[in-house]
Amino acid sequence: MHDQPPPTPPVPVAPALFTWEFATDPYPAYAWLRELSPVHRTELPSGVEAWLVTRYADARQALADQRLSKNPAHHAGPAHAKGKTGIPGERKAELMTHLLNIDPPDHTRLRRLVSKAFTPRRVAAFAPRVQELTDRLIDGFAGRGEADLIHEFAFPLPIYAICDLLGVPREDQDDFRDWAGMMLRHFTPGQGGGPRGGVARSVKKMRGYLAELIHRKRESLGEEGEDDLISGLIRASDHGEHLTENEAAAMAFILLFAGFETTVNLIGNGVHTLLNHPAQRARLQASLAAGEEGLLATGVEELLRYDGPVELATWRFATEPLTLGGQRIAAGDPVLVVLAAADRDPARFAEPDTLDLSRRDNPHLGYGHGIHYCLGAPLARLEGQTALATLLTRLPDLRLAGDPGDLRWRGGLIMRGLRTLPVEFTPQTN
């Protein structure tokens, strides 16, 4: 009798990605990829093929690798695929020249101009306005004993804040809120199909408004003038910085677009996480009641790591063949760094699936890494800390309303956030 060769072990089958079940809890699938296929080629729902990078060390390398360009012109895919890797409507609206789509030296020049709006001094000076907005929004529902924290709080807070920073007049800010709401409801980056037309129309309206606003501000701008960001961009372009109107409009657009949804999700995901971790939430409330700020600061960083607002970093394209995580990537291939997977990598974080608001060793990638590190991170941190501290202090018995299983996460690639977050609490009177 002949010895039989041992059976060939079955090739592991990758978990299903980008389903609604995956959107609810992607972390088990990401753990599988980190372990068995850390740089993983997959077809996205839009039909575009891309590499997913899931380990922390590889992610950090990829985010800083200059061979991975942000410019969609480097995508080797067919022409129809190139329109599926960005924001719907941005190409037709001539809004492509923003920080998420360009490389040095243009990126260096534009980022230097805008970074003046996000210095620690400027952000600290903005803190009273963020607190005022936070209190006003909570006042709007505190007496009812119930609210949808996404639509009534987490969404309008960063919209109004970024509008103030840009210099959008108060009387026009509700229009911005409507356009942003259309984008939030319908924009599922990388999914293809769907109501992208509605998003493109909102982008077109926003582009038209920004062109008009830039024109109005340029007409009325004195040597000192207003201190808002759009006025600063105009002043820079009038003083030899070579900022075109398209660049100014694209910059204002991407600061609004990138600046509001990340903070919506930071607040929404953060509250959701705290409601699901009552012991950690009680620690934070006790710390706030004692007038301490340390746990709030480390706590927001931990919420960014544990279930952050940006699931995947925005698109990158290989400008030459390269090896990443042992995988050969061809020139022109799209690469997506999975921040949510990297930030739960046990090779970098102790007990990564445990929420610890006092975690100190926490170099998470929630706001990216390298030259494209999120410009607005200081403002987002301020808004997140203010929103969470004020909610937990003013509505101390905040709790989820309804069945947790009824919560739905928005589908898409880049952002991770809830569609709604219904809560209940003891009605508060002013």
Side-chain angles (χ1 to χ4, degrees), residues 12-349:
V13 177
L17 305 177
F18 313 120
T19 64
W20 289 113
E21 293 78 12
F22 170 84
T24 299
D25 182 11
Y27 296 102
Y30 288 150
W32 189 99
L33 291 176
R34 269 197 317 265
E35 181 69 24
L36 297 170
S37 186
V39 179
H40 181 76
R41 190 171 176 86
T42 189
E43 182 177 321
L44 306 175
S46 63
V48 175
E49 290 197 355
W51 295 96
L52 302 181
V53 180
T54 56
R55 287 181 180 168
Y56 183 89
D58 296 336
R60 215 175 134 85
Q61 176 191 334
L63 291 172
D65 195 323
Q66 294 188 3
R67 296 171 298 175
L68 292 174
S69 168
K70 300 290 292 172
N71 189 338
H74 290 293
H75 186 190
H80 71 85
K82 295 190 179 187
K84 296 179 178 179
T85 61
I87 300 167
E90 65 176 359
R91 194 179 298 271
K92 285 186 179 178
E94 297 184 335
L95 291 170
M96 291 292 288
T97 51
H98 57 67
L99 290 174
L100 298 186
N101 281 345
I102 56 175
D103 302 315
D106 284 336
H107 176 271
T108 311
R109 173 175 62 91
L110 293 178
R111 187 175 174 109
R112 185 180 68 249
L113 289 176
V114 185
S115 63
K116 298 167 188 172
F118 296 99
T119 62
R121 182 184 62 81
R122 288 289 297 269
V123 171
F126 202 54
R129 175 60 177 157
V130 173
Q131 185 66 62
E132 177 192 336
L133 286 168
T134 300
D135 283 320
R136 191 184 82 199
L137 291 168
I138 295 176
D139 287 344
F141 56 77
R144 290 206 320 262
E146 62 177 16
D148 173 3
L149 279 189
I150 300 298
H151 292 283
E152 296 182 75
F153 184 64
F155 170 65
L157 174 60
I159 283 287
Y160 291 136
I162 201 75
C163 280
D164 279 355
L165 202 68
L166 288 172
V168 176
R170 298 276 168 93
E171 62 269 21
D172 295 344
Q173 291 186 6
D174 283 337
D175 287 336
F176 262 76
R177 180 176 174 168
D178 291 343
W179 297 329
M182 171 68 76
M183 297 164 98
L184 192 67
R185 284 192 297 275
H186 295 311
F187 180 41
T188 54
Q191 295 291 75
R196 288 169 65 92
V199 180
R201 282 192 296 276
S202 291
V203 170
K204 187 177 180 181
K205 288 178 182 176
M206 202 176 284
R207 171 67 174 91
Y209 174 82
L210 287 170
E212 180 192 335
L213 182 62
I214 289 168
H215 178 73
R216 289 203 322 255
K217 284 183 177 288
R218 175 168 269 134
E219 292 286 304
S220 63
L221 201 63
E223 269 306 304
E224 296 304 318
E226 297 178 56
D227 197 29
D228 61 78
L229 182 53
I230 290 179
S231 296
L233 291 175
I234 294 168
R235 200 175 290 114
S237 62
D238 289 346
H239 286 76
E241 287 278 9
H242 311 300
L243 190 74
T244 68
E245 186 192 286
N246 277 350
E247 287 176 332
M251 186 67 69
F253 166 73
I254 203 60
L255 287 172
L256 178 83
F257 187 84
F260 89 88
E261 193 172 357
T262 49
T263 308
V264 174
N265 295 346
L266 168 57
I267 297 169
N269 297 6
V271 172
H272 177 257
T273 298
L274 291 172
L275 293 180
N276 285 314
H277 293 80
Q280 290 288 309
R281 175 246 187 102
R283 281 182 67 199
L284 181 54
Q285 285 180 299
S287 173
L288 293 169
E292 300 164 356
E293 295 184 357
L295 192 62
L296 177 65
T298 58
V300 166
E301 299 310 304
E302 176 69 344
L303 293 169
L304 283 161
R305 182 199 70 82
Y306 183 83
D307 196 13
V310 184
E311 192 164 343
L312 282 76
T314 48
W315 296 81
R316 284 165 168 77
F317 307 93
T319 58
E320 60 184 79
L322 58 100
T323 300
L324 185 60
Q327 192 68 254
R328 193 71 174 156
I329 294 171
D333 279 1
V335 174
L336 290 165
V337 177
V338 188
L339 305 178
D343 280 344
R344 295 233 193 159
D345 188 343
R348 180 59 190 86
F349 298 97

